[in-house]
Amino acid sequence: MSNSMKITAGQTSTRTLTDLIRAMDGKRAATITYVDGKGEESVRTIEIHNILTTSKGGIVVRAMCRTRGEMRTFTLEQIKAYTVHRMRFVLSVPEEKVAEVAPLAHFVFTPEQMIDIELERDYPAPKLKLAA
């Protein structure tokens, strides 16, 4: 493990998210320091399989945890430091979790396209009934 973890408070959330997406895309493990719901700090090595946004605009990281050997959910706000490793994924996603971590087929080239996709997901257009 690298002896230099990136502290999220020292960089923008965009930079943190970019690094985590690169880890996911490259199937590289990441070690994170995070604070759980009880306020306790923990260090885990994870394999990120999906990064999602919530309806309230939060960012959620779905990853296999090497310590627990199971799928875990982390919010970007919980992650206080991270290191992306050269080591590849080694854990298999359990069958029942495959659908929830399947990558989405959205490719965007501008911020406007990303906003359109997010708005459509959160506020889908009503389905119109066609006259027969």
Side-chain angles (χ1 to χ4, degrees), residues 34 36 42 44-46 63-72 74 91:
Y34 75 100
D36 67 15
S42 183
R44 299 285 171 87
T45 298
I46 61 173
M64 290 294 293
C65 173
R66 287 189 175 176
T67 302
R68 302 272 188 225
E70 57 190 33
M71 189 63 66
R72 297 299 229 197
F74 306 93
L91 299 175

Side-chain angles (χ1 to χ4, degrees), residues 65-120:
C65 173
R66 287 189 175 176
T67 302
R68 302 272 188 225
E70 57 190 33
M71 189 63 66
R72 297 299 229 197
T73 301
F74 306 93
T75 64
L76 195 61
E77 294 80 30
Q78 286 177 298
I79 299 172
K80 302 303 175 193
Y82 66 94
T83 298
V84 175
H85 302 286
R86 290 184 181 138
M87 67 180 123
R88 308 288 281 184
F89 288 3
V90 296
L91 299 175
S92 298
V93 177
E95 282 293 319
E96 67 272 9
K97 301 291 182 184
V98 169
E100 70 184 59
V101 298
L104 301 174
H106 296 304
F107 295 96
V108 297
F109 300 100
T110 67
E112 291 80 15
Q113 289 175 328
M114 177 59 96
I115 291 168
D116 287 345
I117 287 172
E118 291 297 317
L119 287 173
E120 179 62 28

Side-chain angles (χ1 to χ4, degrees), residues 50-68:
N50 210 345
I51 298 176
L52 309 163
T53 56
T54 66
S55 60
K56 294 183 180 181
I59 297 173
V60 177
V61 176
R62 294 286 292 151
M64 290 294 293
C65 173
R66 287 189 175 176
T67 302
R68 302 272 188 225

Side-chain angles (χ1 to χ4, degrees), residues 1-45:
M1 176 167 60
S2 172
N3 60 1
S4 175
M5 290 187 81
K6 292 183 182 178
I7 309 299
T8 59
Q11 63 186 22
T12 65
S13 58
T14 301
R15 175 59 194 253
T16 301
L17 187 56
T18 300
D19 288 344
L20 296 178
I21 290 170
R22 282 188 182 135
M24 177 180 69
D25 287 346
K27 297 189 184 311
R28 306 272 182 208
T31 296
I32 61 169
T33 300
Y34 75 100
V35 177
D36 67 15
K38 298 175 187 173
E40 297 176 16
E41 194 171 279
S42 183
V43 177
R44 299 285 171 87
T45 298

